[in-house]
Amino acid sequence: MTDYVSTPIRQTAKGPRIWLQGEILTRNGFTKGVNYTRKEDKETGTITLSVNEHGSKVVSGKIRNKVVSPLIDIVNNAITEVAQGASELSIEMREGEIILSVPHLRSKQAQRESAFRQHTQEGQLTEGTFCVGIGMATLGLKQGFAKHGITMSSKWIVDREARYLDVALRNNPAVTSDTQVFNMPLESLDVSKLSQVDIAQFSLPCTLHCKSGKSKNKLALAEQHSTDATAMYGLMKSFETVNAAIYVSENVTEAQDSATYILIKSTLQVLGYDIYETILNNEQSGSFENRNRYWFVAVSSGLDINKDILVPTYPRQYERFAELMDAVADNDEAWSDNTYLKEKAIRDAAAGKGFAKRQLINEDTTQVGVINRHYTKRQSTPPMVIRAIDDKERLVTVNEHARVKSCDPMLVANTPMTTAHEGLGQGVDMNQAIGLAEFIAMAICLNTTPAQMYEAANSDAFLQVDFLDALFG
């Protein structure tokens, strides 16, 4: 039988110190007065203690309440070499032998950082996505890295909705024949089947975090949701298997201070990551939709990061809605009187429900609010196009929806309208994802100078909304 112990490294004036004491030594043959040898092996990175009657070392001990407590006290600089920067050591104890080695988590950290550095030098990173949807964030990262000559290959994608995966498999260039597909809830996922990747990203269900989702589901806490809350379990149990050098996550702004994300971030910190987080919107992305979103990037703590690098901002592609509109005939069935919504707006205004104010847009509109996953249900607050001649209204088309999110409509080509709007509505502002990828490429992969960054991004304006203050305090 082997016993396992984690013990802290104490720093003293004489050097690093390991202190082992108690019954666990007795049960493995290291009783008070026993001789032993100590061998340091730099190749394996271990220190081995072996019971040996001719050994020069002796187990000491203390007596308290007539009970002898054996003690091994090691003060040696070799401990630093074994620890590889960790503040503790892993110890295996068996009859007559004790082996001190690098901690499990530190070993995993060194492994992922080494792989990331090698793949960065080769210009080819691997990636995996949880809750991929139609793959907007996945494609955004791929495009962002490509701007800096780095190829990103998606090794696997996970989602519980087959109809979204169908869209990704059919239309998304980031999803290839080499991409492994897992069509199941995260909590049902066998994480042992996931390959290690350089970058992993996830967008946990936002319904449980946003105010409307909590209200609709009558939740006091996001974690009370009957189905979506358990996705966190599936995600967190994957961390050590996936062992990504960088994790990227996007969600509604309310998620930032939720118990779910606090626990996720705390766990990643224990596993050896530094957490950087910010809120992005169309001031950074230049998109027509103003979509405030919470992003965090977890970077393995041994990787260098250039703190002078900012997330790039992008110029506006469309100044007016007319520039991105599809031609919809006046007699198209998409146009409707929407009598119910008009009457409801009057009732809501009379009741003082300012939050339910309608968002009617036309050719001269300069930006739109969030278009959500349930857009085809014709809700009160998402944007609807109105025409002046008769006040009839319509939903934005699927292609218009894609364009306001800086997304190429090809991503939802040949897709039923409801599925397309759902996939886009729960997706990301593409330029936010592209910008985060550019930030990672420049600040971590290439570690370029600010001047090179400006040239590479082909932009003379960069995010000034406290991104670095949020990231680096």
Side-chain angles (χ1 to χ4, degrees):
M1 181 185 294
T2 301
D3 296 323
Y4 298 90
V5 177
S6 176
T7 188
I9 300 172
R10 296 177 173 86
Q11 300 299 329
T12 70
K14 296 182 179 179
R17 183 183 197 181
I18 291 293
W19 179 286
L20 303 175
Q21 185 178 359
E23 290 298 323
I24 199 165
L25 291 176
T26 301
R27 70 186 252 122
N28 287 288
F30 287 80
T31 56
K32 184 177 184 298
V34 164
N35 292 72
Y36 68 94
T37 59
R38 186 175 74 210
K39 179 182 178 182
E40 299 150 11
D41 190 330
K42 292 185 178 180
E43 290 188 8
T44 61
T46 59
I47 298 175
T48 302
L49 314 181
S50 302
V51 171
N52 187 321
E53 61 180 337
H54 303 296
S56 60
K57 311 293 182 183
V58 180
V59 178
S60 60
K62 294 183 177 180
I63 301 177
R64 179 176 294 176
N65 297 328
K66 298 182 180 180
V67 175
V68 178
S69 180
L71 169 65
I72 296 177
D73 184 11
I74 304 173
V75 180
N76 193 294
N77 287 328
I79 293 173
T80 300
E81 296 181 13
V82 172
Q84 298 181 24
S87 60
E88 60 184 18
L89 284 182
S90 291
I91 299 175
E92 296 181 18
M93 294 188 184
R94 58 183 66 91
E95 182 63 32
E97 185 178 64
I98 297 175
I99 301 175
L100 293 76
S101 62
V102 62
H104 165 67
L105 295 182
R106 183 65 185 88
S107 178
K108 298 282 285 187
Q109 179 181 340
Q111 179 188 25
R112 66 183 178 246
E113 290 172 1
S114 175
F116 182 83
R117 291 188 181 100
Q118 178 182 341
H119 295 163
T120 294
Q121 289 178 355
E122 296 168 353
Q124 296 183 334
L125 297 177
T126 58
E127 181 271 349
T129 305
F130 299 98
C131 305
V132 68
I134 63 175
M136 295 176 72
T138 305
L139 181 57
L141 289 193
K142 182 180 180 70
Q143 292 175 343
F145 282 114
K147 286 189 174 187
H148 300 275
I150 300 172
T151 300
M152 190 193 82
S153 301
S154 293
K155 305 302 292 183
W156 44 261
I157 55 176
V158 184
D159 204 282
R160 64 187 179 187
E161 292 286 352
R163 58 202 175 102
Y164 300 149
L165 290 171
D166 284 346
V167 178
L169 290 168
R170 183 174 62 249
N171 295 334
N172 196 323
V175 181
T176 70
S177 58
D178 294 327
T179 304
Q180 195 172 15
V181 177
F182 295 87
N183 180 202
M184 60 191 65
L186 285 187
E187 55 269 37
S188 302
L189 182 63
D190 180 354
V191 298
S192 68
K193 291 182 169 59
L194 297 173
S195 58
Q196 181 178 0
V197 292
D198 298 311
I199 297 175
Q201 60 173 320
F202 57 92
S203 296
L204 293 178
C206 65
T207 305
L208 64 164
H209 295 292
C210 64
K211 293 178 181 178
S212 60
K214 286 183 180 179
S215 175
K216 179 180 179 181
N217 292 281
K218 299 180 180 179
L219 304 176
L221 299 172
E223 292 70 29
Q224 292 173 323
H225 197 282
S226 58
T227 58
D228 291 353
T230 52
M232 177 184 66
Y233 162 70
L235 172 70
M236 293 181 65
K237 71 179 181 180
S238 75
F239 283 157
E240 283 199 60
T241 300
V242 172
N243 199 32
I246 297 174
Y247 285 91
V248 178
S249 178
E250 175 268 355
N251 214 302
V252 294
T253 57
E254 294 89 345
Q256 181 171 9
D257 297 320
S258 68
T260 294
Y261 273 80
I262 289 172
L263 183 56
I264 288 172
K265 289 180 286 188
S266 297
T267 300
L268 286 170
Q269 287 173 324
V270 169
L271 295 177
Y273 294 84
D274 297 323
I275 307 296
Y276 310 119
E277 51 192 340
T278 192
I279 305 296
L280 298 179
N281 55 34
N282 67 345
E283 296 218 351
Q284 173 269 327
S285 69
S287 296
F288 204 82
E289 181 188 56
N290 187 20
R291 193 177 185 88
N292 291 332
R293 279 302 183 267
Y294 162 59
W295 290 86
F296 85 71
V297 181
V299 182
S300 193
S301 58
L303 295 177
D304 293 329
I305 183 166
N306 187 335
K307 297 181 181 180
D308 292 325
I309 301 296
L310 305 177
V311 169
T313 65
Y314 302 106
R316 288 288 295 266
Q317 184 177 0
Y318 307 106
E319 295 296 336
R320 298 169 57 245
F321 187 68
E323 299 170 26
L324 63 85
M325 287 180 71
D326 285 332
V328 179
D330 287 343
N331 61 350
D332 193 292
E333 63 181 11
W335 295 105
S336 171
D337 288 322
N338 280 344
T339 302
Y340 166 75
L341 290 178
K342 292 174 181 177
E343 292 176 349
K344 184 176 183 299
I346 295 173
R347 294 195 303 271
D348 288 342
K353 296 180 179 179
F355 67 89
K357 188 175 180 180
R358 300 196 64 203
Q359 186 184 171
L360 299 175
I361 64 175
N362 57 32
E363 292 90 340
D364 294 323
T365 299
T366 56
Q367 71 174 12
V368 298
V370 174
I371 304 175
N372 62 32
R373 181 167 66 98
H374 299 297
Y375 184 59
T376 56
K377 293 184 177 181
R378 293 179 177 264
Q379 305 152 301
S380 293
T381 53
M384 297 191 74
V385 183
I386 187 170
R387 64 186 185 191
I389 56 173
D390 56 9
D391 284 345
K392 285 195 173 184
E393 305 167 4
R394 67 169 174 85
L395 300 175
V396 300
T397 67
V398 168
N399 287 347
E400 290 167 347
H401 189 173
R403 294 183 193 115
V404 302
K405 286 183 165 69
S406 298
C407 176
D408 189 330
M410 67 84 189
L411 193 58
V412 285
N414 304 312
T415 300
M417 183 180 72
T418 298
T419 301
H421 278 305
E422 286 184 4
L424 291 166
Q426 69 179 7
V428 301
D429 176 333
M430 288 283 288
N431 279 350
Q432 291 181 13
I434 292 170
L436 260 292
E438 286 208 68
F439 168 75
I440 294 169
M442 294 183 288
I444 304 173
C445 298
L446 304 179
N447 202 12
T448 56
T449 65
Q452 290 171 317
M453 175 192 66
Y454 278 79
E455 181 179 355
N458 192 27
S459 172
D460 60 359
F462 284 78
L463 183 63
Q464 302 298 325
V465 290
D466 299 326
F467 184 82
L468 282 183
D469 287 342
L471 290 188
F472 308 112

